[in-house]
Amino acid sequence: MNSDLPGYEQAAAIVAERVRAIAGHHHPRTEPVDLAHAAGRVLAVPLLADEDQPPFSRSTRDGYACRAVEASAHIALPVAGSTHAGEAPAGPLPSGAAWEIMTGAPVPDGADCVVMLEHIERTGDLVRLVQSRTIEPGDNIVSKGAQARGGDPLLAPGIALGPAQIALAASCGYSTIESFIRPRVAILATGDELVPIDAKPEPGKIRNSNAPMLATLVDRTGGVPVVLPASADTAGALDAALEQAIRADMLVISGGVSAGKYDLVEPALSRLGARFHFTGVKIQPGKPLVFGEIPQGERSATAKVFFGLPGNPISSAVTFQLFAAPVVAALAGGREAHPRFVFATLARDTDRKNKPGLTRFLPARCAFNDSSSELPQVATVPWQGSGDLAAFAQSNCFLVIPEDAGSLTAGATVRILLH
Ligand code: AMP
Ligand code: MG
């Protein structure tokens, strides 16, 4: 049974294939979004430069605008004028002269370089380039249109908007950005033991921590979480809950996918006509993960993608990030749907635990230290298994232990998944 399950790479490839299919035929509707609320939204149309950037030749230094051949002759040049940032372009620069200029100010016509203040000797109204320096045409100037020409596309549709893209949009005069409408992702926690966060759990009960965790992950990945009330472990309750959940664009269900007597999620999905891409992956934690689609028949051309995540909080988190996040990102119209794996140096040996054939993802903490020449250092966080939220909350990544690697030794270069 175990050997029939896909390994991590194979399962990821199955998801990637579905993600490509979604990206190919799914065209989310668009809406204008206020720039102040555009963080994390996905650009739906090309972002264009409204005019040349920079719109005028700009000095990048405080100093003196002049002609490079004249300055490099180290002769004293009279100061013919002055422009500071915010002033209209002035000039032209008379021949054999210099022009006082500040950072961000327009360079006067006729000047081809700016000598920085620190490289000037000034005597009264005369300035001279210090003997030890030379200067070339173009130095310390960004010419009009050097960054972009008016009308140039600066960002392509599908890019998620972060601080840099928002600043660029602002500089081009966009107060709203045409963005894709975010997919609605139903979050359905299942389990007889679950009580709401504001309830005091009776003996044997626990609070439903997966719903807010998954809502945070969905939001961060570009979706709108639609959190449904937790479902009891009965066929009737699950059928009713799934009927609600199927109205969303995608379903993320937690719990009830293991092999236990009360793990009723798979049969409930089957009753809705689900096709399963896989029902289990050779990873730990997260082995019982279920991935599939529910065809919509007449109702809609596109099937509803669902993930049944194992209920243990860390299993839910890791499987969401590895497999569900790329699908949410694709439904959001994004073009960057890959989990963020990076390399790090292992700071401490990992425990020797024989889980043959499983790729492991252990909660770990990675320190982005001050040394720029080295990879970040990573060490696992001691944990009591995949329900240990106290340990999970100390982590900022997962350490990847490849299939059949056994344990890893301090100093090794390892892969981590940032979370
Ligand atoms: P299950 O996948 O349903 O067998 O659940 C595995 C473990 O995860 C059990 O210990 C559950 O109590 C726990 N669990 C399931 N759902 C949640 C949830 N929504 N929040 C926190 N823990 C959960
Ligand atoms: Mg359960």
Side-chain angles (χ1 to χ4, degrees):
M1 162 67 187
N2 202 359
S3 58
D4 294 343
L5 297 180
Y8 165 69
E9 302 287 346
Q10 201 186 340
I14 293 170
V15 171
E17 196 275 315
R18 297 313 302 151
V19 164
R20 272 194 299 278
I22 291 167
H25 66 61
H26 177 71
H27 304 290
R29 286 176 300 127
T30 73
E31 63 183 353
V33 176
D34 202 62
L35 196 58
H37 299 115
R41 298 301 298 263
V42 178
L43 184 65
V45 298
L47 188 120
L48 306 177
D50 64 325
E51 58 176 340
D52 287 354
Q53 290 206 350
F56 50 82
S57 291
R58 182 181 64 207
S59 175
T60 63
R61 300 285 186 186
D62 292 328
Y64 291 87
C66 50
R67 292 178 181 83
V69 275
E70 293 173 355
S72 297
H74 300 286
I75 47 171
L77 304 170
V79 179
S82 173
T83 309
H84 70 255
E87 286 187 312
L93 175 71
S95 65
W99 193 282
E100 188 183 35
I101 197 154
M102 315 301 158
T103 303
V107 174
D109 275 349
D112 62 12
C113 69
V114 169
V115 181
M116 57 197 282
L117 206 52
E118 293 84 340
H119 297 166
I120 282 285
E121 288 161 2
R122 181 161 183 159
T123 340
D125 266 351
L126 296 176
V127 293
R128 182 204 305 266
L129 177 62
V130 294
Q131 205 59 45
S132 57
R133 296 277 169 178
T134 56
I135 190 154
E136 301 288 333
D139 282 2
N140 302 323
I141 295 178
V142 182
S143 301
K144 178 179 189 312
Q147 297 165 182
R149 288 293 181 186
D152 278 356
L154 299 175
L155 294 176
I159 194 162
L161 300 167
Q165 295 76 26
I166 286 171
L168 177 66
S171 78
C172 293
Y174 287 83
S175 52
T176 61
I177 297 195
E178 198 65 17
S179 307
F180 289 124
I181 290 183
R182 290 181 292 170
R184 290 160 47 84
V185 180
I187 294 169
L188 175 61
T190 73
D192 286 338
E193 71 276 38
L194 302 178
V195 300
I197 314 165
D198 49 7
K200 174 112 183 77
E202 301 289 324
K205 307 280 190 192
I206 58 167
R207 294 193 181 93
N208 175 6
S209 59
N210 282 353
M213 177 182 75
L214 293 168
T216 307
L217 285 164
V218 164
D219 178 74
R220 204 174 74 177
T221 316
V224 179
V226 180
V227 178
L228 300 173
S231 167
D233 289 320
T234 66
L238 282 171
D239 285 346
L242 286 175
E243 198 177 307
Q244 298 297 313
I246 196 93
R247 295 185 189 161
D249 299 307
M250 175 178 165
L251 287 64
V252 174
I253 304 152
S254 96
V257 288
S258 311
K261 191 171 168 190
Y262 296 99
D263 292 321
L264 306 174
V265 166
E266 272 179 63
L269 288 163
S270 294
R271 286 194 289 279
L272 285 173
R275 291 194 303 116
F276 293 90
H277 298 312
F278 52 73
T279 56
V281 183
K282 287 191 273 178
I283 57 172
Q284 199 238 353
K287 187 157 153 255
L289 173 71
V290 165
F291 171 43
E293 280 166 64
I294 303 172
Q296 294 302 286
E298 298 301 295
R299 273 181 287 176
S300 144
T302 45
K304 297 272 165 88
V305 174
F306 64 80
F307 283 89
L309 313 180
N312 261 318
I314 302 177
S315 313
S316 285
V318 93
T319 51
F320 182 93
Q321 281 167 85
L322 289 173
F323 302 107
V327 177
V328 177
L331 287 172
R335 293 285 171 272
E336 299 145 272
H338 301 290
R340 297 184 303 160
F341 286 108
V342 294
F343 289 109
T345 302
L346 190 63
R348 284 198 305 271
D349 293 359
T350 59
D351 292 344
R352 176 164 284 286
K353 242 196 214 149
N354 251 352
K355 292 273 183 184
L358 298 180
T359 305
R360 291 196 290 156
F361 296 88
L362 306 181
R365 187 147 189 98
C366 147
F368 295 92
N369 46 29
D370 35 15
S371 160
S372 56
S373 62
E374 281 169 23
L375 292 175
Q377 297 272 321
V378 68
T380 54
V381 173
W383 68 326
Q384 303 299 319
S386 52
D388 188 348
L389 277 174
F392 186 38
Q394 298 302 318
S395 74
N396 60 4
C397 64
F398 296 103
L399 170 66
V400 184
I401 303 198
E403 223 177 280
D404 298 324
S407 63
L408 301 176
T409 6
T413 299
V414 292
R415 258 180 12 132
I416 60 175
L417 171 69
L418 296 175
H419 70 63

